[in-house]
Amino acid sequence: MAEKIKLSVDGILALESSFIKVPYEQLKKANRKAQKFTEKELSNLASGVADLAKGKGSGAKDPVKALDAMIERMNKLKRKLDELKAEETMYAGKLAARLSHLQDLAHIRTLTAPEFAAWAHLRLQRVLLDYLMRQGFLTSAKLLATGSSSHSASDASGSVMNLAAASAAAEPMAVDTDPTPAPASQVPAPHPVAGLVQFADLEFFTHQRRIERALERHSCTEALAWCHDNKVALKKLKSHLEFNLRLQEFIELARTRQLVPALEYAKTHLVAFADLGHTRAIQQAMALMAFPPTTTCEPYRTLYDSDRRWTALAAQFRADNFALHCLPPLSALEATLQAGLAALKTAQCGGKHEDRSINCPVCVPDTFAVLAEKLPLGHHVNSCYVCRISGEIMDEDNPPLVTPEGYVYSRKAVHEMAAKNNGFFRCPRTHSIFKVAQMKKMFLT
Ligand SMILES: [Zn+2]
């Protein structure tokens, strides 16, 4: 019977904060937007009514027309509030579904319970979903999120593989190039009540991708609008993104030698940042008025380095957007994988070919070994002996045998090889051949 290992809920939840934080922050933002909009509109209406009552203002000449305009404005407010309410309801639904998914853990006692296998399977799906979205594979993410919802639990594992294959076929090359919705025939529309859809932050990543794409096209407009929407939060973060975007727009004017508009732009948008510790950067940028884009003089040549600067802006926007929504820079898939690899990694891992264990994932060259290269070693209180041939642990039931040349293999592997070779054992390291009787039993201490 399988050993019952107690479930460490705290350990599992340690990686889940961003899973809850993203819809929570979006709900907060939508709520703030609705509140601000209502306050602004109601205050305008109140002052309009007050002016009308006193016979003042633009509506005094034709009060009926002014009242009609107010009614139209109130209808507009109602429509806008309906839209915002639908947005809030969607985020609240996501939050509730995610909390309920995590709450399910409270009823699972052991790691071997079948309920945990089902829960962990769903977790794997959403971790993959998160990874796809972060990498910009939004079409694949939509396929995974919407496709899996139509499968029953019994064929769930097959559905992940099928969808992964479908995603790979749909997107074999690179990141989605167009974040706008694909035709309905290609991508099923997300269903508001479907399971995995509630775990996908598609709106968040679609919006992020749209701004990244604009930056790749050398346009700051979308990113500046985002900075305006998140002004207060970015100030708290001490973000320099807005300044760098403004600086880039100035550099682009200098690049095309539109010197008068560049000067005007600097006066309007850059001077305000001088008090925020950007004086030197502004002075350097202003010197671009004298240096053409063909200059070899530093630092002006670097300031004109278009590719490097636009890539850095996209990376900075991504980092700030993640920070604003409490998203860690590393995806859950990478974080879990690295935690697992670090726990398994030993001083022997990734060494010479003959030292590698055939059952150790960290020893697999080109894949996990590369990922684990910079990771620390796990703290192993007790060491164990692993057979070089079979990868099995050597213990009293399968003791180690030593060849006359001093190399150690498990009894089981030695006997299996000898049975196939007329009682002879061939050392995989030295290629010497021995009789099993020549090998000595080693005692573990
Ligand atoms: Zn290893």
Side-chain angles (χ1 to χ4, degrees):
M1 201 177 138
E3 193 188 347
K4 286 189 177 175
I5 305 164
K6 203 170 172 290
L7 192 72
S8 161
V9 177
D10 288 348
I12 293 172
L13 293 183
L15 283 168
E16 303 291 1
S17 65
S18 66
F19 181 58
I20 297 297
K21 272 277 184 182
V22 175
Y24 173 68
E25 289 296 328
Q26 285 176 311
L27 178 64
K28 239 169 66 177
K29 209 171 148 186
N31 188 270
R32 251 195 329 256
K33 208 159 108 188
Q35 205 176 359
K36 241 166 126 179
F37 190 75
T38 317
E39 275 170 16
K40 194 178 147 205
E41 286 296 302
L42 288 182
S43 132
N44 279 343
L45 277 168
S47 62
V49 170
D51 283 351
L52 211 59
K54 288 175 194 163
K56 286 197 296 184
S58 56
K61 284 180 192 164
D62 192 349
V64 178
K65 200 176 163 192
L67 280 170
D68 281 345
M70 276 181 203
I71 291 168
E72 178 50 36
R73 210 162 166 167
M74 283 170 85
N75 281 330
K76 204 176 143 196
L77 170 67
K78 187 177 175 290
R79 283 196 298 274
K80 181 80 182 170
L81 285 180
D82 284 344
E83 272 173 38
L84 288 169
K85 195 185 169 194
E87 204 180 321
E88 282 180 42
T89 310
M90 179 184 75
Y91 293 131
K94 282 186 185 228
L95 202 52
R98 292 175 193 208
L99 286 169
S100 149
H101 170 61
L102 295 182
Q103 180 72 27
D104 287 345
L105 270 182
H107 310 297
I108 305 171
R109 295 273 166 258
T110 64
L111 281 173
T112 44
E115 301 84 35
F116 182 71
W119 189 89
H121 179 74
L122 195 53
R123 177 179 59 176
L124 175 67
Q125 283 184 312
R126 64 178 167 82
V127 163
L128 286 173
L129 192 60
D130 168 69
Y131 184 76
L132 287 173
M133 289 186 296
R134 278 171 177 260
Q135 296 299 313
F137 292 105
L138 297 174
T139 314
S140 306
K142 276 179 202 165
L143 270 172
L144 179 59
T146 54
S148 61
S149 60
S150 60
H151 290 71
S152 66
S154 59
D155 69 354
S157 64
S159 77
V160 171
M161 298 317 290
N162 295 342
L163 281 161
S167 303
E171 253 166 10
M173 300 298 284
V175 172
D176 282 358
T177 50
D178 187 4
T180 50
S185 58
Q186 288 175 23
V187 181
H191 194 277
V193 290
L196 204 53
V197 169
Q198 299 289 53
F199 301 157
D201 299 309
L202 283 166
E203 309 77 23
F204 173 85
F205 285 102
T206 305
H207 186 54
Q208 170 171 290
R209 189 76 199 115
R210 192 172 296 137
I211 297 172
E212 280 177 341
R213 293 279 304 153
L215 290 171
E216 284 162 17
R217 287 195 312 269
H218 297 187
S219 163
C220 290
T221 318
E222 293 78 356
L224 280 168
W226 178 84
C227 285
H228 182 262
D229 287 349
N230 298 286
K231 214 176 176 79
V232 181
L234 286 172
K235 205 171 172 185
K236 272 189 204 159
L237 272 183
K238 296 191 171 69
S239 162
H240 299 312
L241 180 64
E242 189 180 350
F243 171 70
N244 286 330
L245 290 166
R246 293 286 180 199
L247 193 65
Q248 193 59 37
E249 290 208 317
F250 174 82
I251 293 171
E252 294 308 317
L253 288 171
R255 191 191 307 281
T256 49
R257 308 315 286 156
Q258 300 180 60
L259 300 183
V260 176
L263 196 60
E264 286 301 317
Y265 187 90
K267 277 189 210 163
T268 319
H269 297 298
L270 290 183
V271 174
F273 289 98
D275 299 337
L276 303 168
H278 294 296
T279 313
R280 190 165 164 67
I282 295 171
Q283 284 169 345
Q284 278 184 352
M286 292 311 291
L288 294 182
M289 309 269 288
F291 288 91
T294 48
T295 184
T296 51
C297 180
E298 289 294 357
Y300 313 108
R301 192 189 63 85
T302 313
L303 279 174
Y304 278 125
D305 185 347
S306 177
D307 288 346
R308 194 184 63 86
R309 287 194 63 90
W310 284 106
T311 311
L313 279 175
Q316 194 182 0
F317 157 69
R318 193 179 170 88
D320 282 1
N321 196 25
F322 276 12
L324 231 56
H325 291 84
C326 306
L327 267 174
L330 213 59
S331 71
L333 179 68
E334 290 162 296
T336 345
L337 207 52
Q338 287 196 350
L341 289 174
L344 291 171
K345 191 174 172 181
T346 67
Q348 295 295 314
C349 287
K352 283 184 290 174
H353 176 71
E354 60 189 40
D355 289 335
R356 291 176 187 162
S357 164
I358 62 163
N359 278 348
C360 171
V362 191
C363 284
V364 180
D366 302 330
T367 53
F368 290 133
V370 180
L371 277 176
E373 203 176 2
K374 290 183 182 161
L375 294 176
L377 303 180
H379 178 63
H380 299 274
V381 182
N382 299 312
S383 45
C384 61
Y385 300 90
V386 178
C387 176
R388 164 77 177 73
I389 299 172
S390 64
E392 287 178 13
I393 290 175
M394 295 185 272
D395 50 20
E396 305 82 47
D397 301 328
N398 185 22
L401 298 182
V402 194
T403 69
E405 292 173 330
Y407 290 105
V408 179
Y409 302 101
S410 73
R411 186 174 68 187
K412 217 165 131 187
V414 168
H415 280 269
E416 270 172 20
M417 193 189 277
K420 291 176 194 159
N421 296 294
N422 301 321
F424 289 97
F425 171 78
R426 189 169 192 264
C427 176
R429 286 174 171 112
T430 64
H431 307 296
S432 306
I433 294 168
F434 309 104
K435 276 186 179 169
V436 176
Q438 285 176 274
M439 300 180 76
K440 286 185 183 146
K441 191 175 168 187
M442 216 176 97
F443 291 92
L444 300 173
T445 53

